[in-house]
Amino acid sequence: MDDPILTIEERAAINNGRWFSTLSPSLRHDILRCAFAKRYKDGDLICARGDPAEAWSAVAKGSVRVSSTSITGKQVTLQYVEPGIWFGDVAIFDGERRTHDAYAHGDTTMLSVSRADLQKILTQHVELYEALLRLHARRIRQLFGLVEDLNTLPLRARLAKQLAHLVRSYGVPSLADGREVRIGLHLAQEELAQLLGASRQRVNQELKSMEREEVIRIEPGGLVVRNREALMRIVEADHEGHGKP
């Protein structure tokens, strides 16, 4: 069959992905033709550090938590991979093993292409080489941006940027108030702190400050952004301040 077994929403998440949607129709068709879907429950291990790279994957639903474990046994979250994002190709290309653990965060659907099938598609579609180079270049730009932010921006600005990103990726408009957006990805404050390279206590202080300013609202089920414009003003003000001599 031409399509893997995905729901309408899952298929839309893949097809509307920023990178995947730029590929030619024939290339998208051949990728989907050999792809297979697999579903995971919250907390399920998708792949472990040291595993051989057997597939190239995209998130069709939910999120994938990429993490590592320190020598002391503490788990550190590095990234949450959102729907429509492809990953895992680096280990396939360099022949090395997986460098991090990947867990399902919430009910998650993965769409994967085996290493052998990816190699076949590459021989049939030279276009894919250039497309993957663009994908890698974007990742490098994002990585440099994260390193720069970590070293130059205060925690308040980094937190605001992270919340703005989560709104774009997981925002669910509020039915009660169209100006409010609920972040559909539920993150504990400790998980949010790990993404920002800060302590949970400091992140909690900044969240409380934003709540007092009516930028966000903290609820038992997660975070609600009440004023997206005010959130972006926090980011822009700190960026402008950083740019001043």
Side-chain angles (χ1 to χ4, degrees), residues 160-190:
K161 284 187 75 170
Q162 185 64 58
L163 293 179
H165 171 73
L166 291 172
V167 165
R168 288 191 298 270
S169 303
Y170 296 98
V172 180
S174 170
L175 296 178
D177 187 339
R179 296 168 298 179
E180 295 187 349
V181 180
R182 177 180 300 279
I183 295 175
L185 182 71
H186 181 64
L187 295 179
Q189 288 188 12
E190 178 64 32

Side-chain angles (χ1 to χ4, degrees), residues 148-162:
E148 181 181 8
D149 287 350
L150 188 61
N151 285 280
T152 61
L153 293 181
L155 176 59
R156 177 179 169 85
R158 301 205 312 275
L159 175 58
K161 284 187 75 170
Q162 185 64 58

Side-chain angles (χ1 to χ4, degrees), residues 48-137:
R49 181 174 187 167
D51 283 352
E54 298 175 343
W56 174 48
S57 303
V59 181
K61 174 190 173 184
S63 182
V64 173
R65 176 168 56 85
V66 179
S67 63
S68 64
T69 305
S70 69
I71 297 175
T72 60
K74 180 181 179 182
Q75 194 171 74
V76 178
T77 298
L78 304 173
Q79 181 187 15
Y80 288 89
V81 184
E82 64 204 61
I85 301 296
W86 290 80
F87 67 102
D89 42 284
V90 172
I92 287 179
F93 279 122
D94 67 14
E96 301 292 334
R97 293 178 177 269
R98 300 293 190 194
T99 56
H100 298 90
D101 301 320
Y103 294 88
H105 190 82
D107 290 340
T108 299
T109 301
M110 298 289 294
L111 187 69
S112 299
V113 176
S114 71
R115 176 199 287 267
D117 282 334
L118 178 58
Q119 294 295 343
K120 289 178 185 176
I121 296 171
L122 283 165
T123 61
Q124 296 164 359
H125 296 270
V126 179
E127 166 199 352
L128 184 54
Y129 281 104
E130 184 178 344
L132 285 170
L133 281 174
R134 291 197 307 270
L135 183 62
H136 293 171

